[in-house]
Amino acid sequence: MQETQPSSLLHIPVLYKEVPEVLIHNSDGVYVDGTFGRGGHSRIILSKLSNQGRLIAFDRDPEAIASAKNILDPRFSIIHAPFAEMKNELDLRSEGLVDGIFLDIGISSPQIDDPQRGFSFRFNGPLDMRMDNSCGLTASQWLETAEEQEIAKVIKEYGEEKFASKIARTIVQYREKAKLETTEDLANLVATIVPRNRKDQGQHPATRTFQAIRIAINDELGQLKRALNVAGSMLKPGGILAVISFHSLEDRIVKRFFDSMVNPARHIDPRLPLLPDQLPKALFERSSRILPSEEEKDVNPRARSSVMRFARRTSEPWRETK
Ligand SMILES: C[S@@+](CC[C@H](N)C(=O)[O-])C[C@H]1O[C@@H](n2cnc3c(N)ncnc32)[C@H](O)[C@@H]1O
């Protein structure tokens, strides 16, 4: 594989040993990496494929797409689109079913560490938070226009923040006088309401609010739910879907999805008068979970909260699920 980026600049991908072991069962196959980032996992997957194998990657971040241009490998292609759109994008290119789909969801280190992207309260920068900064509302624009109740709901549900209502009220009062334009504006405002965590003094009071607004701005949970269903319809029988998530809101969605795929009969109304052979058949099988080893957590702190869940597509024809 030709490579124009020095390997010392590449970050360590999470569960980098386990991902190819779980995902690649046919080295001549076609694989999808829905979250290219800086291509850590993509490069590992490519290194395990034969000359016949192919990898199609996606990312919604234009900077990730630009960095993918460093991979000069004819087996590799990159598409700028949200992963919920991956089936439409592959259909447009007349791709058939694929052998494996991988998602490493959330934000990348380069996104968090660039003050201009506005993801972090650690650096001052424009309050943006869009993964695709070529379209959509910035966090600043959303906070300027959203209803107080909507802001409170987002901070409560996606941040699991008990001061959500008070934060939302204070934001709405603040915006009558001034604009929340920077990460510092928002971090300082939230810090006037949320006390420091007594157990974890290192945690900034705005941590949960930033997470919540980021999830809402990028519709992260909606993207994940749609991508899981779409992925199921894109896999060959025996194909693998593997998803790494970093917090409980996402992991819960992935876990429930695989449960409902592996045990669909448990998810239908038991009062329905169905015979055993009329019960829906499993669309996925062998669902499992892998956590990072202690060794990996020591070397790569980003791995600490990661969970990978994966399962294998059965030969049962795909049916649309809720
Ligand atoms: C955790 S990073 C992936 C890191 C990557 N596995 C690596 O080794 O470099 C997540 C990436 O997924 C992208 N992303 C998140 N949600 C997305 C979505 N709905 N559609 C497409 N890309 C998304 C982000 O822009 C980010 O670049």
Side-chain angles (χ1 to χ4, degrees), residues 137-183:
L137 287 185
T138 65
S140 170
Q141 290 165 334
W142 181 72
L143 288 172
E144 212 178 314
T145 49
E147 300 273 338
E148 178 182 329
Q149 271 159 335
E150 191 189 352
I151 299 174
K153 189 167 181 275
V154 160
I155 300 177
K156 185 163 190 280
E157 287 181 10
Y158 300 161
E160 302 179 284
E161 170 60 74
K162 60 178 182 218
F163 296 97
S165 305
K166 205 165 168 204
I167 296 171
R169 203 175 321 127
T170 311
I171 287 172
V172 170
Q173 284 163 357
Y174 182 96
R175 78 185 183 195
E176 280 162 15
K177 292 179 256 119
K179 232 173 138 185
L180 277 166
E181 269 176 320
T182 66
T183 49

Side-chain angles (χ1 to χ4, degrees), residues 197-214:
N197 184 338
R198 257 187 274 137
K199 283 192 210 127
D200 183 0
Q201 289 284 325
Q203 193 188 64
H204 191 286
T207 305
R208 287 183 296 276
T209 302
F210 269 68
Q211 171 186 300
I213 295 174
R214 189 202 92 202

Side-chain angles (χ1 to χ4, degrees), residues 70-213:
N70 290 315
I71 301 186
L72 308 173
D73 184 322
R75 301 170 304 161
F76 174 77
S77 52
I78 180 89
I79 298 172
H80 182 208
F83 52 54
E85 294 301 321
M86 57 190 169
K87 181 169 185 330
N88 295 338
E89 294 290 331
L90 292 203
D91 286 350
L92 284 174
R93 290 160 179 83
S94 308
E95 288 284 349
L97 298 179
V98 301
D99 294 84
I101 299 175
F102 171 67
L103 301 175
D104 173 21
I105 50 186
I107 41 179
S108 65
S109 313
Q111 286 169 331
I112 307 174
D113 294 341
D114 180 352
Q116 290 308 312
R117 304 300 302 266
F119 282 108
S120 175
F121 44 79
R122 285 188 287 126
F123 317 106
N124 196 21
L127 189 58
D128 189 326
M129 297 202 201
R130 289 169 303 166
M131 288 186 192
D132 184 349
N133 53 8
S134 67
C135 60
L137 287 185
T138 65
S140 170
Q141 290 165 334
W142 181 72
L143 288 172
E144 212 178 314
T145 49
E147 300 273 338
E148 178 182 329
Q149 271 159 335
E150 191 189 352
I151 299 174
K153 189 167 181 275
V154 160
I155 300 177
K156 185 163 190 280
E157 287 181 10
Y158 300 161
E160 302 179 284
E161 170 60 74
K162 60 178 182 218
F163 296 97
S165 305
K166 205 165 168 204
I167 296 171
R169 203 175 321 127
T170 311
I171 287 172
V172 170
Q173 284 163 357
Y174 182 96
R175 78 185 183 195
E176 280 162 15
K177 292 179 256 119
K179 232 173 138 185
L180 277 166
E181 269 176 320
T182 66
T183 49
E184 208 167 69
D185 292 341
L186 179 61
N188 290 345
L189 192 71
V190 175
T192 62
I193 300 157
V194 179
R196 277 222 174 250
N197 184 338
R198 257 187 274 137
K199 283 192 210 127
D200 183 0
Q201 289 284 325
Q203 193 188 64
H204 191 286
T207 305
R208 287 183 296 276
T209 302
F210 269 68
Q211 171 186 300
I213 295 174

Side-chain angles (χ1 to χ4, degrees), residues 11 35-41 59-60 82-83 104 106 111 131 223:
H11 84 173
T35 50
F36 178 80
R38 287 300 177 270
H41 289 105
D59 207 294
R60 68 197 308 191
F83 52 54
D104 173 21
Q111 286 169 331
M131 288 186 192
Q223 276 284 317

